Amino acid sequence: MRIASFNVENLTDEPGSGAPLQARLDVLQPQLNRLAADILCLQEVDATKSSASAKRELGVISQLIAGTPYAEFHISSSIAPATGAPRDKHNLVVLSRWPIVQCTQYFHDLVAAPSYTAATAEPASDDASQIIWDRPVLHTQIDLPDGQHLHLLNLHLKAPLAVPVDGQKMAPFAWKSVPGWAEGYFLASVKRSGQALEARMAIDRIFDADPKALIAVTGDFNAEEREVPLRILLGDTEDTGNGQLAGRALVLPEHSVPETQRYSVIHRGRKQMLDHLLVSRPLLAHFRTFEVHNENLGDELVAYTLVASAPDSYHAPIVAEFDLA
């Protein structure tokens, strides 16, 4: 069983949105074929409307997988709670060789939106507002060939980019004051950590029902291993201080890859591992290999300034292989 994750970065069939779709498919489809995945988790899949009154649809997915082994896979995706249809931007998609028997998403279902009063807003206000996550967590249950179930959580945590604060922005990437930027950055970290907390709550619900559950949590975490979101999700006994909770801790199979090759993003020359796969100990028993397909990975900041309509994703796909026998 090969489980893969890939942030395809703003994949859309909307005309005039970056590189032409065919140019993107010519780059992305060989990457998907190389993954040879049985279960493929995608992030940043956009949805479009066929008419002004129609609901949004993920038509781009059928074009992405056409002519590939994934064309006959089962599909689940995240939705906007208000519409019951995919969002315009950054949907989560799971493609599975085996049947998807249940699909659930968590969007403030397990963790309420925190209330917060901005300290640097202009004009100043004593009114509190809610900090809403940017995206849900998608939980699919998959029937495996040996009769077991796999619980798969696909997620895309908030990027570490400061959230706008009223009256503190001069331009899309320019702030009026350091405290204004700092508060926006703080709010972004709350969103990212809050998403991770909701996913962790879902994980423990699975363990409550089945302490030996096969669980995989994967996607774009926008965080490295020792940052807060990963620590929340991993639940190491060194953090909880309780050895009896060791069975609920998750593990990073990426440690089997040499550290020099362990990166999925290059930003301003710095190599970072932001895309991860976390597994429960019962699933770890079947683990065999982990791959990061970063041989042709470019620097996302360099590309942003120098490459017009880049067709690539500047995230490397990852894939882990398990032997269920």
Side-chain angles (χ1 to χ4, degrees):
M1 175 177 68
R2 288 172 66 85
I3 302 175
S5 177
F6 191 14
N7 183 336
V8 290
E9 290 202 303
N10 298 308
L11 182 65
T12 181
D13 54 1
E14 187 79 39
S17 300
L21 178 60
Q22 189 57 53
R24 299 219 61 199
L25 298 182
D26 290 343
V27 170
L28 295 176
Q29 286 178 336
Q31 292 180 284
L32 297 185
N33 287 334
R34 180 188 174 193
L35 288 170
D38 299 296
I39 300 170
L40 175 61
C41 298
L42 302 176
Q43 301 87 42
E44 293 199 22
V45 179
D46 295 349
T48 54
K49 292 183 176 182
S50 57
S51 66
S53 59
K55 286 190 174 183
R56 294 188 180 274
E57 297 180 346
L58 295 170
V60 68
I61 282 294
S62 60
Q63 299 178 70
L64 176 66
I65 63 178
T68 75
Y70 307 103
E72 303 301 321
F73 277 28
H74 304 271
I75 301 177
S76 66
S77 63
S78 59
I79 59 172
T83 65
R87 296 155 48 103
D88 58 340
K89 298 287 186 183
H90 292 191
N91 294 285
L92 303 164
V93 175
V94 173
L95 302 162
S96 172
R97 181 183 304 279
W98 303 299
I100 296 173
V101 294
Q102 188 171 341
C103 181
T104 308
Q105 71 173 29
Y106 307 106
F107 188 73
H108 295 295
D109 296 285
L110 306 180
V111 177
S115 294
Y116 179 75
T117 302
T120 64
E122 296 180 357
S125 173
D126 293 330
D127 294 335
S129 58
Q130 290 186 313
I131 303 175
I132 306 295
W133 313 155
D134 284 10
R135 289 169 287 269
V137 174
L138 183 63
H139 173 197
T140 57
Q141 295 183 49
I142 298 171
D143 267 348
L144 300 179
D146 63 355
Q148 297 187 85
H149 295 281
L150 173 70
H151 292 271
L152 180 73
L153 276 67
N154 183 10
L155 50 78
H156 182 189
L157 303 188
K158 170 69 179 173
L161 296 173
V163 173
V165 177
D166 288 346
Q168 284 291 340
K169 295 294 291 287
M170 297 170 57
F173 298 102
W175 290 79
K176 288 173 60 177
S177 70
V178 173
W181 164 82
E183 185 167 39
Y185 194 77
F186 158 75
L187 292 172
S189 68
V190 172
K191 289 187 176 218
R192 186 164 59 256
S193 296
Q195 286 178 277
L197 173 60
E198 187 150 35
R200 182 69 237 192
M201 299 282 284
I203 292 163
D204 273 69
R205 284 192 169 195
I206 298 169
F207 278 132
D208 288 342
D210 180 7
K212 297 183 179 180
L214 303 180
I215 303 173
V217 184
T218 192
D220 177 2
F221 292 67
N222 272 308
E224 296 185 279
E225 178 180 348
R226 294 313 299 165
E227 293 186 72
V228 171
L230 264 293
R231 293 180 68 171
I232 288 173
L233 285 160
L234 288 167
D236 287 341
T237 53
E238 290 85 351
D239 286 326
T240 65
N242 185 350
Q244 295 185 21
L245 298 177
R248 296 191 173 221
L250 301 183
V251 183
L252 283 168
E254 67 195 44
H255 286 170
S256 63
V257 176
E259 190 170 357
T260 55
Q261 301 171 26
R262 200 187 309 157
Y263 62 92
S264 62
V265 170
I266 304 174
H267 182 82
R268 199 182 297 175
R270 181 168 178 252
K271 297 177 178 179
Q272 300 173 278
M273 191 68 184
L274 302 183
D275 302 83
H276 305 277
L277 174 72
L278 286 59
V279 301
S280 61
R281 290 176 187 265
L283 183 55
L284 181 68
H286 303 283
F287 171 69
R288 294 298 175 264
T289 61
F290 190 90
E291 305 166 15
V292 188
H293 295 178
N294 54 20
E295 297 89 346
N296 196 45
L297 188 64
D299 189 312
E300 61 179 359
L301 190 63
V302 173
Y304 181 80
T305 56
L306 297 182
V307 182
S309 302
D312 304 83
S313 168
Y314 288 90
H315 281 254
I318 61 172
V319 59
E321 184 167 307
F322 303 85
D323 182 359
L324 295 180

